Each structure stands twice: as structure tokens, then as C-alpha cells.
Amino acid sequence: MQYDPGTLLVIGQLKYFILLGYIQDKGDSIWDKYVHDHPEIISDGRNGDIASDSYHQYKRDVEMLRELGVDYYRFSISWSRVLPGGFSNKINEKGLEYYDKLIDELLKYNIKPMITLYHFDLPQTLQDFGGWANPLSIQWFEDYSAVIFKAFAHKVQYWITINQPNSICVEGYGQDLMAPAIESSGIADYMCVKNVLLAHAKAYRLYEREYKKKYKGSVGIALALNWADPVNNSTENVEAADIYREFMIGLYMNPIWSKEGGFPKMVIERVHQNSLKQGFKKSRLPTLSKEEISLLKGSSDFVGVNHYTTVLVKSTDKLITAPSIEDDMHVELTYRTEWKNATSSWLKSVPYGIYRVCVYLNTKYDYPQMFVTEHGWSTGPGLKDHTRVENLRLYLKALLFALEDGTDLRGYTTWSLMDNVEWVAGTRYERFGLYEVDFESENRNRTARLSALAYKRIIEKRIVEDDYKPDNLKISITNRNIKTEL
């Protein structure tokens, strides 16, 4: 049996994000400072000063996109490259020039750029003032967005304001898993959530007000939307899964897509009750004013779905450190032993999860327009990445079923085009690229993996084949143009 994605699922679209280092007047970001001050946190000690060096190799990157035959390319702009001091009073024209050349190279070959304005790399100067925990960050981001829209709105149709506020706030402000590693769970993470969402809304309204009528572009936000099922159908575990989803999904979706607006009532009530028990005078979760609720409602043309895996949730009586978002949820996570593992310890292959996410968003938020803005699989170094090929095919098939059930899915984006410095995991064991990067070579040479060839075949054939055997793939590369046949 073969599955035809039809016209709505435009498969053949890719994403990368690279920490671009000290080149052409770039300012320090929070990740620059974090990894330079704490080199021991990177598993192989490799930081992002050069990484995959797309600053110099962008033409090769576009060439790879042409080899694959993709329709659009999602990439992010570094705030501190364009505004080295974080504020809009000083613009680095060389930074803008780099992105302008990349955009023009994409358009030259009819590849549509999809720009992410913010992907985890706040200018360090702004972090020194409190970063996303400071309400002034809302204005800082609007000012930065204005610079980028002014420069590129006439060339770019698709925009993502902020990538994964869930990760920015929970892992960066509540925990120490990501920069700036504030470790103030249950307090700073909630402050961050409010400010990041309002910053998104301000940027969206700016584009809506000044550019949408003229250029008819679309602006969305990308959220980490992994799936969560109860470990079994007992009442307490079903309730635990509901709680977990409201904190991990509803906290970010509700203010923009729900009819009533604002944060989920369940989250508001749980945080408020726990705050009072812990001696706080009021809830640790900041409130949204009527004006802020109005600003947020409808402030996205699409939701970017960053989906990787699924977890199982159960209720727990274990003592959890408080105050914290973990204590506010008070649930326990687990996995099925039969789920296949990637090289990333947190990443399990559960293809039905992406289908369940789509159905959940359709039911709860009235069929929002979606792009899968990230989905991927980690392997070690090497070109024969059979597990990535299998994971890609199974998840695409699950998305086809979601389409059949009415999901308004406009595109699919894999993480990632090439290997990168995968945050604190470095480059040793967690490679996500369709193309392998030789980090020891001067030019960071890129070589197509088996998954790149399989993905190219899917794009060419517009089908996801049941009987496809990667081992039977014959490979030839002529003038850097990949050809595949069985």
C-alpha cells in the first residue's frame, strides 16, 4: 500500500539552527556566555563559535536544499548578530547583509524562507537586565522585530516569532538545562512565560498593523508539543495526564487559541492554591489583564508544532521540591519499554503521538492551521542512519492519517538539514542532520546520509511507501545532484 500526501502536506521542507560565533561584529548571546563560562557542560567540549559554519557555507546549505528538492527552508536570525548590544539603537549592517544574502540565495532557486526571529539566543546585555523575566523584554523584542520586518518583510512570507517558549522558560529559567540556567522553578519560569507570550503578541500585532495588508505574509509561534498519555485508564492517571497537558500545552496554546483566552483555569487554580500553602501572598503565576488577554487572543496565523516524542503520565505521592512547576503538576513520567530509543536518552519513537497531538489541537482549539516546524531523530556519527529513515517514514504516515481526519497541516519541517552543536549534547552522540557534518574539517564538509536520500525520494515521488527498503537504495551523485533509484 502507498500513501499519497495530496496537496495539503507539502513535504520536503527543512530546518536548521546553528550558534553562529564571533564573526562580523556579532554581540554575545546567553549561549555564548554560558558555554564559555562553563565549557564542562558540553559533552564533547565543542561550543558554538563556529559550529557548522553556515555563516561562510550558506551557499552549500542552499545547494543541499536544492539536492533534496525542498519547497521552503526554516532558519533563525540571531538577535545579537543584528543588534550586538540587544537594543535597536545600534544595528549591525554586516549581520543584516548575511541574512539578506541567504534569503536571496533561497529565492533564486524558488525556496521560500521561513524565518524564526528568536531561537534561544537572547543577547547577553539584555539578560544582564533580567532577560525574559523582565517585563521590559516585551518592548525589547518588539523593537528587534521591527528591525527585521523592515529589512525583510518584502521578501519573506512566513514568520515564526519565538521558538519553544516552553523550553526557554521551563528549561532556561526554571531549570539549568539551557542558558541562562536561572534555576528558579515555579517563579522565574512563570514570569518568563507571560513575558515571552506577550512579546510574541506584540510582534504579531506589529506585522499585522504595518505589513500584512501589503505583503500578505503569515506569522506564527512554534511550540514544543510532545504528546502525553496516561500510563493506564485509571481515573487518577487520566486526570494526571490532563494536568500535565494543561501545563505543557495549554499554558501556551490557551492564551492565543482558546475562545475564553488567558491561562488554563486548571493551571491558575493549582498554582494559586499551592502558592498560598507555601506562604506566598498571591499566586506565583502572573495574571493577565483584560488588555493583555485581548492582545494575545488570535495573535497567530498558525501554530508551529515542534514534536519529537511521547511520554506516559501517572499520579504520584512522591515528595517534589517546592515551589516548582513540577510540584504544581505533581505527576510522574515514564515510557513503554518497547518504544525504540534514539541516541538522545529522552527521545523515543512513538509515531502515533504526532497524530494524537493533531487530533487534540483540532478538538480543543477548533482546527488551527499548523506547520510541523520541527521533527527529528538522533543517531551517532555515520551515514547509514537506518533508524532515522524508519522514524521519518512512520511519522509521515501518522501525519497522513491526521490529514485524513481534517488537520489543517500546511507543511512538514524536519530537524535538521545538517548536524549542529546540539546545545549541551555537543556533537559526539546526538546528530540530527540529514547531512553529516565533519566538524574536524576546515570547511565543515557536509555529506548526505541515507536519510537525505530517502527524504529526497519521498519528495520526488510524493508518497510514503510501505514496501520501501533503504538497503536497496542505489546512490549516485553527479555534480552534487543526488539521484536515487530502486
Side-chain angles (χ1 to χ4, degrees):
M1 180 179 179
Q2 296 180 333
Y3 296 87
D4 184 350
T7 58
L8 285 180
L9 181 58
V10 188
I11 49 182
Q13 301 145 355
L14 297 164
K15 153 96 167 56
Y16 84 107
F17 173 75
I18 298 173
L19 295 173
L20 295 164
Y22 295 102
I23 306 171
Q24 301 289 353
D25 301 328
K26 176 186 175 296
D28 277 357
S29 74
I30 54 176
W31 272 95
D32 292 322
K33 179 174 175 55
Y34 190 39
V35 299
H36 290 150
D37 289 354
H38 303 283
E40 73 282 356
I41 67 172
I42 307 296
S43 64
D44 59 355
R46 192 185 303 278
N47 62 36
D49 289 358
I50 299 177
S52 302
D53 197 20
S54 281
Y55 190 90
H56 294 107
Q57 305 300 329
Y58 74 92
K59 287 190 176 181
R60 172 60 182 140
D61 295 346
V62 175
E63 188 176 52
M64 294 188 299
L65 297 168
R66 294 168 58 203
E67 289 170 358
L68 294 170
V70 305
D71 300 299
Y72 75 81
Y73 185 44
R74 181 189 172 204
F75 65 94
S76 54
I77 287 180
S78 170
W79 187 338
S80 58
R81 179 174 299 288
V82 175
L83 304 179
F87 300 103
S88 59
N89 63 311
K90 181 181 179 182
I91 299 174
N92 177 17
E93 296 298 337
K94 292 178 181 178
L96 285 178
E97 180 184 349
Y98 161 68
Y99 294 113
D100 195 43
K101 289 190 294 185
L102 172 57
I103 291 168
D104 284 347
E105 188 74 4
L106 292 167
L107 294 175
K108 179 180 177 181
Y109 297 105
N110 298 314
I111 301 170
K112 295 179 181 179
M114 175 184 275
I115 287 181
T116 300
L117 294 174
Y118 181 78
H119 194 141
F120 301 171
D121 58 339
L122 191 73
Q124 182 58 41
T125 50
L126 302 184
Q127 187 59 47
D128 293 340
F129 293 111
W132 290 112
N134 186 339
L136 292 175
S137 61
I138 301 166
Q139 185 62 55
W140 301 336
F141 184 71
E142 184 180 13
D143 293 344
Y144 159 62
S145 301
V147 171
I148 304 302
F149 287 149
K150 181 179 180 181
F152 303 128
H154 64 294
K155 295 182 178 183
V156 177
Q157 288 289 303
Y158 295 102
W159 298 88
I160 293 169
T161 55
I162 294 172
N163 184 75
Q164 288 187 201
N166 343 44
S167 300
I168 296 166
C169 299
V170 175
E171 297 178 11
Y173 285 78
Q175 303 169 353
D176 64 350
L177 299 177
M178 303 193 75
I182 300 299
E183 291 189 273
S184 177
S185 185
I187 301 176
D189 42 16
Y190 290 138
M191 296 164 64
C192 173
V193 169
K194 175 179 178 177
N195 294 334
V196 165
L197 289 178
L198 289 174
H200 151 78
K202 281 285 190 177
Y204 177 87
R205 300 303 179 193
L206 170 65
Y207 184 90
E208 182 182 52
R209 184 172 64 250
E210 298 188 14
Y211 299 100
K212 193 169 186 64
K213 183 177 180 180
K214 184 174 182 179
Y215 299 117
K216 298 178 174 56
S218 296
V219 181
I221 186 170
L223 304 175
L225 296 173
N226 292 322
W227 183 241
D229 265 335
V231 69
N232 57 41
N233 289 326
S234 69
T235 300
E236 60 269 23
N237 289 330
V238 170
E239 290 177 352
D242 286 340
I243 292 168
Y244 182 80
R245 292 187 206 118
E246 287 290 67
F247 274 85
M248 294 293 104
I249 298 177
L251 190 62
Y252 310 92
M253 288 287 298
N254 258 53
I256 300 172
W257 279 277
S258 69
K259 293 179 180 179
E260 68 277 7
F263 295 131
K265 291 181 180 178
M266 178 191 292
V267 175
I268 293 172
E269 292 171 358
R270 289 181 72 89
V271 179
H272 177 72
Q273 292 171 4
N274 282 351
S275 298
L276 297 182
K277 290 177 183 177
Q278 293 156 359
F280 291 90
K281 299 297 182 183
K282 60 180 182 179
S283 177
R284 290 176 279 105
L285 178 66
T287 58
L288 291 170
S289 68
K290 291 182 179 180
E291 291 77 16
E292 290 168 340
I293 290 173
S294 178
L295 177 71
L296 280 161
K297 282 183 66 174
S299 64
S300 204
D301 298 318
F302 61 88
V303 55
V305 177
N306 290 0
H307 178 91
Y308 288 90
T309 194
T310 292
V311 297
L312 300 177
V313 187
K314 60 182 179 179
S315 63
T316 182
D317 294 326
K318 290 183 178 179
L319 184 64
I320 300 176
T321 301
S324 68
I325 193 170
E326 293 80 11
D327 180 64
D328 292 334
M329 292 188 291
H330 217 93
V331 300
E332 189 175 346
L333 304 183
T334 186
Y335 306 92
R336 298 251 185 260
T337 56
E338 63 268 26
W339 291 347
K340 292 184 179 180
N341 299 312
T343 56
S344 305
S345 60
W346 55 271
L347 183 50
K348 320 291 182 182
S349 184
V350 194
Y352 82 82
I354 200 166
Y355 170 82
R356 294 293 298 275
V357 163
C358 291
V359 172
Y360 180 80
L361 298 184
N362 291 343
T363 303
K364 193 172 178 66
Y365 299 108
D366 194 23
Y367 293 83
Q369 186 180 122
M370 303 182 202
F371 282 82
V372 173
T373 40
E374 286 183 31
H375 165 254
W377 185 254
S378 63
T379 63
L383 301 181
K384 294 184 178 180
D385 54 343
H386 294 275
T387 57
R388 180 176 290 110
V389 174
E390 179 184 24
N391 183 264
L392 175 65
R393 289 180 57 252
L394 292 175
Y395 272 81
L396 285 176
K397 286 170 67 175
L399 282 173
L400 292 174
F401 286 117
L403 277 166
E404 289 178 4
D405 286 346
T407 298
D408 186 5
L409 182 62
R410 301 302 179 94
Y412 169 85
T413 319
T414 192
W415 178 279
S416 59
L417 174 59
M418 64 198 129
D419 293 337
N420 58 352
V421 176
E422 190 62 32
W423 311 113
V424 296
T427 62
R428 184 175 295 167
Y429 301 119
E430 299 187 33
R431 302 287 190 96
F432 280 85
L434 298 180
Y435 283 74
E436 180 169 78
V437 174
D438 179 1
F439 289 99
E440 302 303 324
S441 65
E442 182 178 354
N443 293 326
R444 300 301 194 267
N445 295 332
R446 291 101 153 95
T447 305
R449 287 195 170 101
L450 181 64
S451 57
L453 307 177
Y455 195 52
K456 176 178 175 64
R457 180 179 174 84
I458 291 171
I459 295 167
E460 287 177 340
K461 302 294 184 181
R462 292 300 200 211
I463 55 177
V464 184
E465 300 159 301
D466 270 351
D467 58 352
Y468 168 64
K469 298 292 190 294
D471 286 332
N472 294 336
L473 196 65
K474 297 177 182 178
I475 305 168
S476 65
I477 300 179
T478 306
N479 296 326
R480 293 191 187 272
N481 291 320
I482 300 172
K483 296 181 179 179
T484 63
E485 58 182 16
L486 286 176

